[in-house]
């Protein structure tokens, strides 16, 4: 794994990922782009993981694209500022399913089959904000500074921001933030829908939530995430069928029976790895 991300694996299946470029406020350089994709894709195939927490070391969650990349843009560089997956490539070409490499940095957290919680503090600008928006849940410090900052550099949000923002806030709010690039607080992020909740210590709160999730049936958690992802693109008829399919598979399964027994016997459940 890259030195851009530090991994901590807890005994209950919680995985903690910390962006580890603290001297640069965890800004996105090619190595960070690649490390985020690599981490997310590794978690997609990890049957032992129950929940994921993403945070940033030092003073910030992520300050967005690093200055060296903007300097290369000034000199005429293009997609190569975005990491190996996009090096020399046409951004329109899909390299990761429906996404290009830059978009996969945020979208990969939707592919991870368990809940992903972003613990956001300091700043989350531009691409850094889009990484956080890719998580299922965002716990944000009230004094965090956030911005859809791409307009400052003559750009548009292109790390899946347009897909992710429309799920969370009203269209006029998304438009205003995109057109102005203004900086807003964690408290405003909660009001408009970009933050799930506020905490003076978002990492501690995120880890507590992750450990709570890790104590639930892994089959039901993964099924719930599949349904929530499907709800973004399926119509009512399709989603009702998907609910029924998932529930049919869960009812009477070993982990569902164990959840019932543990509650009746008032003890901690002992779940098998996900089916």
């Amino acid at each position: 794994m890259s030195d851009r991300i530090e991994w901590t694996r807890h005994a209950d299946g919680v995985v903690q990922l910390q962006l580890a470029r603290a001297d640069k406020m965890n800004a996105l350089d090619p190595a960070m782009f690649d490390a985020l994709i690599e981490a997310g894709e590794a978690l997609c195939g990890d049957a032992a993981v129950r929940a994921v927490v993403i945070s940033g070391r030092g003073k910030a969650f992520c300050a967005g694209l690093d200055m060296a990349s903007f300097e290369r843009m000034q000199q005429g560089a293009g997609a190569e500022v975005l990491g190996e997956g996009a090096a020399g490539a046409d951004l329109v070409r899909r390299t990761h399913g429906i996404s290009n490499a830059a978009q996969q940095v945020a979208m990969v957290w939707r592919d991870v089959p368990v809940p992903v919680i972003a613990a956001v503090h300091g700043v989350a600008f531009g691409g850094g904000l889009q990484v956080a928006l890719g998580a299922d849940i965002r716990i944000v410090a009230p004094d965090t500074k956030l911005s859809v900052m791409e307009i400052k550099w003559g750009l548009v949000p292109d790390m899946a921001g347009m897909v992710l923002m429309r799920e969370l806030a009203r269209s006029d709010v998304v438009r205003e933030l995109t057109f102005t690039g203004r900086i807003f607080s964690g408290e405003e992020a909660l009001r408009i829908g970009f933050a799930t909740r506020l905490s003076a210590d978002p990492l501690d709160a995120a880890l507590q939530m992750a450990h709570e999730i890790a104590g639930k049936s892994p089959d039901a958690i993964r099924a719930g995430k599949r349904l929530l992802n499907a709800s973004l693109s399926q119509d009512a008829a399709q989603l009702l069928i998907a609910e029924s399919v998932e529930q049919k598979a869960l009812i009477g399964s070993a982990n569902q029976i164990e959840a019932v027994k543990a509650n009746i016997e008032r003890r901690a459940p002992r779940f098998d790895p996900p089916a």
Side-chain angles (χ1 to χ4, degrees):
M1 289 295 179
S2 167
D3 61 1
R4 287 290 189 265
I5 296 179
E6 293 182 358
W7 288 61
T8 303
R9 289 182 175 269
H10 297 260
D12 61 355
V14 171
V15 174
Q16 183 179 350
L17 303 176
Q18 282 199 305
L19 281 62
R21 201 183 182 209
D23 59 322
K24 301 293 185 181
M25 298 181 75
N26 299 313
L28 299 166
D29 65 348
M32 184 70 83
F33 273 89
D34 296 337
L36 284 164
I37 294 173
E38 181 183 3
E41 292 183 346
L43 290 167
C44 286
D46 189 340
V49 65
R50 301 288 182 88
V52 178
V53 173
I54 306 174
S55 63
R57 291 186 63 84
K59 299 186 296 183
F61 177 75
C62 178
L65 198 63
D66 71 349
M67 289 306 299
S69 296
F70 284 118
E71 289 169 0
R72 291 197 296 276
M73 282 186 184
Q74 181 182 1
Q75 297 161 7
E80 60 267 28
V81 303
L82 302 176
E84 289 181 9
D90 179 354
L91 290 177
V92 176
R93 186 168 65 88
R94 305 295 87 182
T95 57
H96 296 75
I98 64 172
S99 305
N100 66 24
Q103 292 161 340
Q104 184 71 353
V105 173
M107 291 298 288
V108 71
W109 311 112
R110 295 297 175 87
D111 296 336
V112 173
V114 299
V116 178
I117 307 166
V120 184
H121 77 291
V123 303
F125 290 159
L129 174 59
Q130 291 172 85
V131 171
L133 296 180
D136 298 288
I137 296 164
R138 283 155 297 287
I139 302 180
V140 181
D143 60 353
T144 302
K145 295 179 179 179
L146 308 97
S147 174
V148 186
M149 192 169 274
E150 285 77 8
I151 194 64
K152 176 179 178 179
W153 306 104
L155 300 170
V156 296
D158 70 333
M159 291 173 56
M162 291 301 181
V163 171
L164 300 169
M165 290 189 292
R166 71 179 182 181
E167 299 172 5
L168 302 171
R170 293 193 332 242
S171 175
D172 60 322
V173 173
V174 172
R175 289 166 189 261
E176 183 254 332
L177 295 176
T178 300
F179 297 152
T180 66
R182 70 174 176 85
I183 295 172
F184 55 98
S185 69
E187 292 179 340
E188 184 175 355
L190 180 65
R191 290 197 300 272
I192 66 176
F194 280 9
T196 309
R197 68 168 64 165
L198 300 180
S199 173
D201 188 342
L203 179 55
D204 181 69
L207 286 169
Q208 286 187 39
M209 182 183 292
H211 289 303
E212 179 182 356
I213 291 169
K216 307 293 195 263
S217 166
D219 295 335
I221 290 291
R222 288 173 179 240
K225 182 155 180 178
R226 286 193 294 270
L227 286 170
L228 289 164
N229 283 345
S231 72
L232 301 173
S233 59
Q234 293 186 354
D235 63 25
Q238 292 172 315
L239 194 57
L240 288 170
I241 287 290
E243 280 185 4
S244 300
V245 169
E246 294 286 4
Q247 196 77 312
K248 181 179 179 180
L250 290 170
I251 292 173
S253 65
N255 280 339
Q256 194 267 325
I257 292 170
E258 172 60 12
V260 173
K261 285 183 176 179
N263 276 290
I264 291 174
E265 297 170 8
R266 302 190 181 210
R267 60 171 174 79
R270 297 182 290 272
F271 293 119
D272 294 330

